[in-house]
């Protein structure tokens, strides 16, 4: 089985990530199963793991996490898998973790951009976007699938209209298979009887934790005070582990303006109050190519922050 502590000592090929999810679910058949949350441009299923408690799958409010949205951000998939691993391996020996797993239905998608992820492993380590064919008149591949969601997509200044740019928004909202199918999955969960409680979009790097909005630096969400307090608690809990310092706040004013981003969509369209995004380690020393010896500490400290959120969401 690949689902052992040794998994988190190295980065892995995409096929092994799929095997890790299968092995982890197989080790806990009464608590987990592999699910498909969407489909990539090249036809790969977007695989994740559904972790559930004593009531079974599909009963409790959904918590959905996306990672490796941007292909080069390899630490994010490892961190998502670490948190899935902790939810399952600690269920039997931690009343805290058992409480979270019995209360919520987790859907953790470590690699939501599989085509780009594979390309970053085989061809161009710094690739960011998906691998969608160039639009008419261009020879440049890929959409930035965190600028392609149908939320303020056409606003100026938060994405690029140049197909060759890393932040290319696409020709229309949801013209990327990944965003279109992932949104359908999110909305189906929110509109089910179980509902949806939380969304987090995991990125790297910069050590930041964001509340909405990305599309405006002047307007604040109705739940701003509560979300900001949770963001502060996340960063404080994370820092308590190794001293890693995160900044936090609304994404537009904390880092930069982004239109068509997933957490703005889940908050503003899907209607998930607890919608966040994050930038994991580091602050630029290694950037996207974070050494494998930082996988464990990144996972451990991020998990501490997430446990604060799980304990303090109302």
């Amino acid at each position: 089985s690949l689902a052992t502590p040794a998994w988190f000592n190295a980065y892995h090929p995409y096929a092994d990530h799929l095997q890790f999810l299968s092995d982890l679910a197989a080790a806990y058949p009464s608590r987990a199963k592999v699910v498909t949350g969407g489909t990539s441009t090249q036809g790969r299923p977007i695989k994740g793991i559904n972790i559930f408690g004593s009531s079974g799958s599909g009963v409790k409010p959904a918590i959905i996490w996306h990672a490796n949205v941007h292909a080069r951000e390899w630490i994010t998939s490892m961190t998502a898998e670490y948190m899935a691993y902790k939810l399952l391996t600690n269920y039997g020996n931690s009343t805290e973790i058992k409480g979270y797993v019995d209360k919520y239905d987790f859907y953790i998608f470590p690699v939501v951009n599989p085509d780009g992820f594979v390309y970053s492993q085989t061809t161009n380590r710094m690739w960011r976007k998906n691998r969608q064919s160039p639009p008419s008149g261009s020879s440049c591949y890929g959409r930035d699938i965190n600028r392609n969601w149908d939320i303020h997509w056409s606003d100026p200044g938060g994405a690029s209209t140049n197909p060759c740019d890393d932040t290319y928004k696409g020709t229309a909202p949801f013209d990327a298979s990944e965003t279109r199918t992932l949104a359908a999955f999110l909305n189906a969960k929110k509109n089910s009887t179980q509902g949806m409680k939380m969304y987090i979009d995991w990125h790297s790097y910069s050590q930041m934790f964001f509340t909405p909005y990305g599309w405006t630096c002047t307007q604040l969400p109705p739940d701003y005070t509560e979300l900001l307090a949770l963001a502060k608690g996340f960063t404080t809990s994370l820092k308590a582990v190794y001293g890693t310092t995160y900044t936090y706040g609304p994404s537009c004013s904390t880092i930069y303006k982004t239109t068509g981003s997933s957490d703005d969509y889940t908050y503003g369209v899907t209607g998930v109050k607890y919608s966040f995004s994050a930038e994991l380690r580091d602050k630029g020393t290694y950037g996207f190519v974070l050494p494998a010896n930082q996988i464990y500490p990144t996972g451990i400290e991020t998990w501490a922050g997430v446990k604060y959120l799980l304990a303090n969401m109302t």
Side-chain angles (χ1 to χ4, degrees):
S1 170
L2 293 179
T4 70
W7 175 257
F8 304 102
N9 291 329
Y11 295 103
H12 304 280
Y14 178 62
D16 288 356
H17 282 276
L18 298 180
Q19 191 62 51
F20 172 86
L21 293 179
S22 296
D23 289 350
L24 186 57
Y28 299 92
S30 65
R31 296 276 173 266
K33 63 181 181 180
V34 175
V35 292
T36 300
T39 311
S40 77
T41 298
Q42 295 176 348
R44 289 183 174 92
I46 298 172
K47 292 292 188 181
I49 189 165
N50 172 209
I51 298 170
F52 45 88
S54 51
S55 302
S57 173
V59 179
K60 300 295 185 177
I63 286 176
I64 301 178
W65 298 334
H66 289 167
N68 246 128
V69 174
H70 292 138
R72 59 196 177 191
E73 298 169 8
W74 294 5
I75 188 59
T76 63
S77 44
M78 298 302 300
T79 300
E81 288 164 353
Y82 178 81
M83 293 189 286
Y85 185 80
K86 296 299 283 187
L87 285 169
L88 285 168
T89 57
N90 287 358
Y91 181 89
N93 59 23
S94 165
T95 53
E96 180 191 8
I97 302 311
K98 183 179 188 299
Y100 302 144
V101 175
D102 285 346
K103 187 177 183 180
Y104 299 115
D105 203 31
F106 290 84
Y107 296 86
I108 301 171
F109 295 96
V111 184
V112 299
N113 179 10
D115 302 345
F117 184 61
V118 169
Y119 192 77
S120 80
Q121 293 192 320
T122 59
T123 309
N124 177 359
R125 178 67 182 83
M126 286 296 111
W127 190 256
R128 169 183 168 102
K129 298 182 284 185
N130 73 358
R131 289 296 299 162
Q132 202 158 336
S133 296
S136 176
S138 177
S139 60
C140 292
Y141 279 75
R143 270 63 162 168
D144 182 343
I145 60 170
N146 203 33
R147 301 292 187 277
N148 188 248
W149 295 71
D150 194 3
I151 180 84
H152 290 270
W153 178 88
S154 58
D155 290 8
S160 177
T161 56
N162 179 351
C164 299
D165 286 349
D166 265 350
T167 58
Y168 176 53
K169 64 166 71 175
T171 59
F174 289 144
D175 76 331
S177 175
E178 293 85 357
T179 53
R180 187 169 60 250
T181 55
L182 289 166
F185 185 93
L186 291 166
N187 291 332
K189 287 288 176 268
K190 179 65 171 71
N191 296 328
S192 69
T193 51
Q194 67 175 138
M196 182 173 164
K197 186 73 174 181
M198 175 204 239
Y199 173 77
I200 304 180
D201 194 25
W202 298 102
H203 293 264
S204 71
Y205 59 94
S206 284
Q207 294 172 201
M208 296 178 175
F209 195 76
F210 305 124
T211 66
Y213 295 114
W215 64 267
T216 172
C217 286
T218 54
Q219 189 173 325
L220 295 172
D223 304 292
Y224 174 68
T225 303
E226 182 184 1
L227 295 179
L228 192 70
L230 287 168
K232 180 181 182 180
F234 172 94
T235 60
T236 302
S237 299
L238 184 151
K239 185 177 183 178
V241 183
Y242 299 113
T244 308
T245 303
Y246 270 53
T247 51
Y248 65 94
S251 60
C252 184
S253 55
T254 307
I255 187 167
Y256 42 61
K257 181 177 178 179
T258 56
T259 51
S261 67
S262 63
D263 53 333
D264 279 355
Y265 181 88
T266 56
Y267 184 82
V269 179
T270 308
V272 179
K273 178 167 79 165
Y274 298 108
S275 292
F276 303 100
S277 57
E279 298 279 358
L280 300 178
R281 290 190 184 192
D282 54 9
K283 287 189 172 181
T285 302
Y286 298 101
F288 300 115
V289 192
L290 196 71
N293 65 8
Q294 292 196 42
I295 295 170
Y296 254 115
T298 303
I300 291 165
E301 69 190 9
T302 305
W303 181 225
V306 166
K307 285 190 291 185
Y308 178 89
L309 300 176
L310 295 173
N312 289 280
M313 288 190 301
T314 55

